[in-house]
Amino acid sequence: MDNTGYELHEETPQTSRAQTERIKQECPVEKKSHWSMLNVFLICLLASTITTVLGVLIVSLVCANKTGFQPQSNNEGTAQKRDTDPQKTPRISPYKPQVDPKFQFLHHLTKSKRHEFPGGTIQWARFRKNAKEYQNEEEMEFGRSINSQRSKMMFGTLNIKSKGLRAPHWHFNANEHGYLLKGTVWIGVVDAGGNTVTTYNVTAGQVIFFPRNTLHWIKNVGAEDCMFLLFFTTHEELQTLDVDDTFFLTPEDIAARSLKPQGGVDFIRSFQKQAEDQAVNLPPNLAELVQKPSYEQSADNLVWRYFFDLKGSTEFRFPGGIIQWARYVQDGKNLKPNEVTYSEFLHSKEDTLTLGTLRIYSNGLRQPHFHFNANEMGYVISGCGKVGVIASPALTTDFTIGVGDVVFFPVGTQHYIKSTCDEDLFFILAFSTGNQLQTLDMDDYFHATADHILAQLFLKKQDEFKKIPRFKEDQAINLP
């Protein structure tokens, strides 16, 4: 038979019983050894397969960690794939960055990108749709914060060189409120239909207002640079059109038929588009181009709609500082005639802002408070301080601030500001309401709550709350 294993168990006449028994004893050992080797081979093969799979998984996880891969939307994934050159732009991860939560409320504007033009510079604290346009993750955190809160606010600084011009332009999606920090400027505003052109001069400490879709320009007429602190009523990307851009984007024959100049289309073709963006314009041959400039002032009743003398307005004094307002006041109570005009015009527009300056004396405190009806955004003009924010029990932070910093406090968020330098801490503030601002301070809500309610809440004897004094003078900004 061909089966040798079977043959080994078959007795034959030539084989003795002793030999048969010896063979039976030896053959099973040989068979066991054969199957053990097979088992060892299979086990080794299985172990090798498992080890290989685990190795591939570990290598994949390590590579994913190094490349910053995270689950993301299709749009974000597409944006990340396009970012193949780290030399062109800072690499910003498309998912929510793990950064200090304080940057939801703080933006170091002095570290942001300077947009350079022939006649000046612009810097922004704003939301950008393209994450690659942020300089770093902290800046992106601030931009996303003001956008997610639907704040209707953004901020920028505009520096214009002497004789420089912020080109005539308008904004599709925002009103503009500005505070002139330094310099002297001449402003023009063109109403709908072009029938009324309002021009006026502005000096440091005064406020300007441009409603959405109102064409306006700003000309520096002083010997030094001027600096504007600007607030816009949008948390999306600002949409702006400059007059030179619209001109060059209009077909030549359409422009000629509209303007009807001498020379027709040939005159239109004589205009040359500059290679450099002229948003803030200052030609090197300006003296040849302009011979007799005039900076006229329109009638007061026109000017007061777009202009407010904040530095000359009423000072609201507290033990620890001063507040001044450019805002709407119902029935114009305690306002000067020019302030009434501004107040009513402001209130007639949608999504306008309340502006104010806040001066906190050294070691003074703008006590913890919150606003019912407005987000707040501010820019530090001078001094330094400490800010505390309570957005929720899980989101509480405090941080230091200095010149050039922008702060943001969402509506209903309790916050305080303390001056920590030898000099006063001075802010320009904007609030996202064209109505009267509604605010509640900590001492006010403690006094307004019954002692027995406070006792039950804080597990403290009711009489203990008599130790919290009431002052005749408002302690909104106090001193120790």
Side-chain angles (χ1 to χ4, degrees), residues 107-114 123 379 402-406:
H107 178 88
H108 296 305
L109 188 67
T110 54
K111 297 180 180 179
S112 65
K113 181 178 178 179
R114 292 172 59 88
Q123 289 181 284
Y379 175 85
V403 176
D405 284 339
V406 177

Side-chain angles (χ1 to χ4, degrees), residues 151-169:
S151 65
K152 295 186 178 179
M153 303 182 84
M154 59 169 286
F155 178 80
T157 57
L158 168 64
N159 184 83
I160 306 177
K161 300 174 184 176
S162 178
K163 299 183 181 179
L165 168 70
R166 174 62 183 100
H169 64 285

Side-chain angles (χ1 to χ4, degrees), residues 56-114:
V56 170
L57 287 174
I58 291 170
V59 170
S60 299
L61 289 173
V62 169
C63 291
N65 244 354
K66 289 183 178 179
T67 57
F69 173 80
Q70 291 286 343
Q72 56 191 359
S73 68
N74 291 335
N75 290 339
E76 290 172 337
T78 303
Q80 189 179 30
K81 288 177 183 177
R82 288 196 296 266
D83 184 18
T84 57
D85 187 358
Q87 299 299 320
K88 291 183 179 179
T89 55
R91 184 170 181 80
I92 300 294
S93 152
Y95 57 89
K96 184 174 178 62
Q98 298 301 314
V99 299
D100 193 319
K102 72 181 182 182
F103 290 108
Q104 294 181 38
F105 315 105
L106 172 67
H107 178 88
H108 296 305
L109 188 67
T110 54
K111 297 180 180 179
S112 65
K113 181 178 178 179
R114 292 172 59 88

Side-chain angles (χ1 to χ4, degrees), residues 306-319:
Y306 306 110
F307 168 82
F308 190 92
D309 184 14
L310 185 59
K311 68 179 181 180
S313 66
T314 301
E315 293 185 345
F316 295 86
R317 291 185 169 271
F318 305 89

